[in-house]
Amino acid sequence: MRGLAPVRSGQPNSRHSQDVGLPSDKMGSPVGGKVPATMESYLELVLRAQVYDVAIESPLEQARNLSQRTGNQVWLKREDLQPVFSFKLRGAYNRIRQLSSAELRRGVIAASAGNHAQGVALAARTLGARALIVMPVTTPEVKVRSVRDLGAEVVLHGDNFDAAYALARELEVAEGLCFIHPFDDPLVIAGQGTIGMEILRQLDHPPDVIYLAVGGGGLISGVGAYVKAVWPQVRIVGVEPVDADAMTRSLNAGQRVHLDQVGIFADGVAVREVGEETFRLAQLYVDAMVLVDTDAICAAIKDCFEDTRSILEPAGALAIAGLKADVQARGLRGRSLVAVACGANMNFERLRFVAERAELGEDRETLLAVTIPERPGSLRRFCDHLGNRNLTEFSYRLCEGSEAHIFVGVHVSGREDSEALCRTLNGAGLQTRDLTDDELSKVHVRHMVGGRSRDAASERLYRFEFPERPGALMRFVSTMHPGWNISIFHYRNHGSDCGRIVVGVQVPDAELEDWNRFLEQLGYPYWDETSNEAYRLFLGQR
């Protein structure tokens, strides 16, 4: 067994990422049953894994643009090129391939929002077994159709993976099926571990670091167990979204942590609790965890496209985002770095959102609120200070009073350039606020500028997220008390499993208790944005 070497103090290294060093005294302990207890056991399991009836040995390609920009040799392990566009078929097939003839005749069942479902469906079809997949109702139609096209039966149930998982375990017993876990199974873990075996075989020398997306932990525990057995000096780094960081929290706590809610932009890793066995292995073999935000993930999708002309799904680009964050945080140069591009089941409708956020993730765009005097020539003077900078958007409306507010997006060359621009404008007497990190501004305000009202007394502003399913938006509206006037409403479909809306509502002070009770009973994540500066500048009551 080996301890986990701490890397950094856990302080954010940029606004897009966080490198979380892990305590050095956490050791795994063997568990009973069929679970292998030693590194040698997993090495044997990986070497014996049967995956190539359905999986390809995916190429390891140098990312020339990323290599040049980071000053390292960056390699992409192209699991997005698998027959189901994800690594998941490796573990699924290895598990199903080793069922007995009697178990295969009974059939298999799984719960999944997409990639594991397709892996199980393909494996079952290849081996002539029945496959039943329980998927959340919020699963995009393209993924449901893909699973059905592979011959599996699909049951849609619940708004999230937890609900689908619970029903799948009930059906497992009721119909006598064999449950194929998406990550917490030694044979699934070993199947994913074949990726590590291929990486070491495909490079002339072992890489310095391998970066892997982490959801339930099957991928990183399988790759980590194999690689550390063969080349223990190779650094294994896991990457999670900042709003779905179950493994990071669990490793820091020394026990599995259950998240009350998870962000689902990177839906392939939106797991509330990591597996028992994957956590044990992560304690042994993971050197560090890196957290990245949505903007960084979108930027990584763009990075991969520029190097390969392929489009990864958000979870598939996590490792690239983590690699970039780690390079920046630790000042890595001249290293050999591998990022596993683990999936490409992207919804086409989501590309608009990704394109909007990628520039922010690369620090190539900044969003500013600029206050100018409301008099002739002020707008021209403001534009003179911007010079020849390229603008991404510009919203201005004539206002009453002595001041006007402009919402502007500006192309910049980095964070320092953005800060310099703010200093220039403020120095010219134009009060400037940087809204680049403000979620309300990025998702809603930039599409709503120009609507302040005299009649918005008692207005309160809230952001909500809700499962993106047919009729969900209208049901949300219908649950509100008819006496509460909706004064602002904004929604855009981003092609994701989660709908995002902002609502302004006029609630008299005497009814605030009822309003707060409504918020708690609604059951959706929400944020009070009434004090948000962008709201007060561009949308609030005059």
Side-chain angles (χ1 to χ4, degrees):
M1 296 181 180
R2 60 185 293 278
L4 290 165
V7 185
R8 294 179 62 85
S9 64
Q11 296 301 313
N13 57 56
S14 79
R15 75 174 188 273
H16 303 301
S17 63
Q18 183 174 344
D19 185 354
V20 182
L22 304 176
S24 59
D25 59 349
K26 292 178 180 172
M27 304 291 288
S29 57
V31 293
K34 298 180 180 180
V35 178
T38 67
M39 178 185 292
E40 291 75 17
S41 300
Y42 266 103
L43 177 62
E44 183 178 338
L45 278 182
V46 173
L47 289 172
R48 291 184 175 183
Q50 302 180 61
V51 303
Y52 296 109
D53 289 344
V54 293
I56 64 169
E57 179 172 321
S58 59
L60 186 67
E61 300 177 352
Q62 187 169 15
R64 299 191 183 279
N65 291 326
L66 268 176
S67 296
Q68 183 176 12
R69 283 169 48 200
T70 64
N72 297 279
Q73 281 194 321
V74 176
W75 302 88
L76 302 182
K77 180 62 171 166
R78 298 294 306 282
E79 285 299 291
D80 57 299
L81 298 179
Q82 293 292 350
V84 296
F85 310 106
S86 165
F87 74 97
K88 284 286 192 176
L89 81 169
R90 293 178 183 259
Y93 186 80
N94 189 48
R95 178 70 180 88
I96 296 173
R97 179 69 176 77
Q98 298 186 53
L99 294 175
S100 67
S101 297
E103 289 172 323
L104 282 174
R105 284 194 296 272
R106 295 207 309 267
V108 299
I109 186 168
S112 170
N115 292 346
H116 179 61
Q118 293 180 72
V120 170
L122 177 59
R125 187 181 71 177
T126 302
L127 296 170
R130 176 197 177 197
L132 177 61
I133 312 295
V134 184
M135 308 181 78
V137 175
T138 54
T139 304
E141 176 59 29
V142 63
K143 294 185 178 181
V144 176
R145 186 168 59 248
S146 295
V147 173
R148 286 179 172 148
D149 288 346
L150 289 168
E153 305 165 41
V154 175
V155 174
L156 298 177
H157 177 77
D159 289 333
N160 52 48
F161 172 78
D162 288 347
Y165 177 85
L167 179 62
R169 298 315 297 248
E170 292 177 12
L171 293 174
E172 169 196 9
V173 176
E175 301 195 24
L177 302 170
C178 297
F179 186 78
I180 309 301
H181 202 285
F183 48 83
D184 206 23
D185 183 300
L187 294 176
V188 172
I189 293 168
Q192 322 304 24
T194 58
I195 295 173
M197 181 176 65
E198 291 176 10
I199 290 172
L200 296 186
R201 186 167 61 227
Q202 290 168 319
L203 286 175
D204 293 335
H205 301 283
D208 292 294
V209 191
I210 299 176
Y211 299 89
L212 303 118
V214 178
L219 175 61
I220 197 167
S221 56
V223 172
Y226 180 87
V227 170
K228 291 294 188 181
V230 180
W231 288 100
Q233 71 270 35
V234 175
R235 188 174 173 80
I236 300 296
V237 176
V239 187
E240 290 182 307
V242 293
D243 54 1
D245 57 344
M247 183 66 83
T248 300
R249 295 194 191 192
S250 297
L251 289 171
N252 284 333
Q255 61 184 8
R256 289 192 299 159
V257 173
H258 182 87
L259 303 181
D260 293 332
Q261 65 182 50
V262 293
I264 58 174
F265 175 66
D267 54 324
V269 294
V271 174
R272 292 175 184 265
E273 186 175 44
V274 300
E276 181 178 354
E277 174 65 357
T278 58
F279 174 62
R280 182 182 76 87
L281 293 172
Q283 286 184 301
L284 293 172
Y285 306 130
V286 175
D287 294 294
M289 296 294 296
V290 175
L291 302 181
V292 295
D293 67 10
T294 296
D295 292 348
I297 296 171
C298 291
I301 293 172
K302 182 180 178 182
D303 290 326
C304 183
F305 176 78
E306 290 179 343
D307 262 311
T308 68
R309 294 301 185 266
S310 297
I311 299 175
L312 299 178
E313 63 183 281
L318 260 181
I320 299 173
L323 179 153
K324 292 167 59 185
D326 198 35
V327 166
Q328 179 183 349
R330 298 198 294 133
L332 301 181
R333 293 294 182 271
R335 309 293 181 87
S336 177
L337 310 176
V338 174
V340 177
C342 62
N345 285 296
M346 168 66 90
N347 304 328
F348 184 81
E349 295 81 4
R350 191 178 288 189
L351 293 177
R352 176 176 58 184
F353 177 82
V354 170
E356 286 180 355
R357 302 293 283 263
E359 293 296 286
L360 295 171
E362 278 293 320
D363 289 328
R364 294 175 182 169
E365 181 188 23
T366 188
L367 300 180
L368 304 176
V370 182
T371 301
I372 66 173
E374 187 61 278
R375 60 173 179 260
S378 293
L379 189 58
R380 171 70 176 272
R381 179 166 163 259
F382 166 65
C383 293
D384 288 342
H385 285 294
L386 291 177
N388 294 324
R389 291 178 180 272
N390 185 36
L391 303 186
T392 56
E393 59 189 283
F394 191 107
S395 297
Y396 164 79
R397 187 183 180 196
L398 180 68
C399 298
E400 296 178 357
S402 61
E403 294 181 337
H405 303 294
I406 297 172
F407 188 98
V408 61
V410 186
H411 267 298
V412 292
S413 60
R415 190 63 168 174
E416 292 182 0
D417 187 27
S418 174
E419 293 170 351
L421 175 59
C422 290
R423 287 195 298 269
T424 297
L425 294 174
N426 279 314
L430 304 175
Q431 186 179 0
T432 303
R433 303 162 183 83
D434 190 339
L435 302 177
T436 310
D437 294 337
D438 183 61
E439 194 70 12
L440 179 68
S441 297
K442 291 187 284 190
V443 178
H444 298 289
V445 173
R446 68 190 303 173
H447 306 292
M448 301 172 65
V449 170
R452 302 180 72 197
S453 172
R454 295 174 179 274
D455 302 321
S458 303
E459 183 177 77
R460 306 181 69 85
L461 192 76
Y462 290 83
R463 279 192 299 120
F464 295 90
E465 291 184 357
F466 60 93
E468 187 70 279
R469 56 192 296 184
L473 181 62
M474 293 303 100
R475 279 195 292 274
F476 172 87
V477 176
S478 67
T479 59
M480 297 187 67
H481 190 286
W484 296 330
N485 184 51
I486 296 177
S487 52
I488 292 177
F489 196 94
H490 181 257
Y491 160 81
R492 289 185 86 209
N493 187 312
H494 290 118
S496 66
D497 301 335
C498 171
R500 298 173 175 86
I501 63 173
V502 63
V503 176
V505 59
Q506 291 176 284
V507 181
D509 291 343
E511 298 180 20
L512 281 179
E513 185 175 339
D514 293 336
W515 169 252
N516 290 328
R517 189 180 305 113
F518 161 77
L519 291 175
E520 295 304 321
Q521 293 175 349
L522 186 62
Y524 295 154
Y526 67 89
W527 296 263
D528 187 345
E529 298 283 10
T530 308
S531 300
N532 184 287
E533 190 168 30
Y535 162 64
R536 292 191 290 107
L537 288 173
F538 296 106
L539 301 171
Q541 184 184 17
R542 289 181 182 174

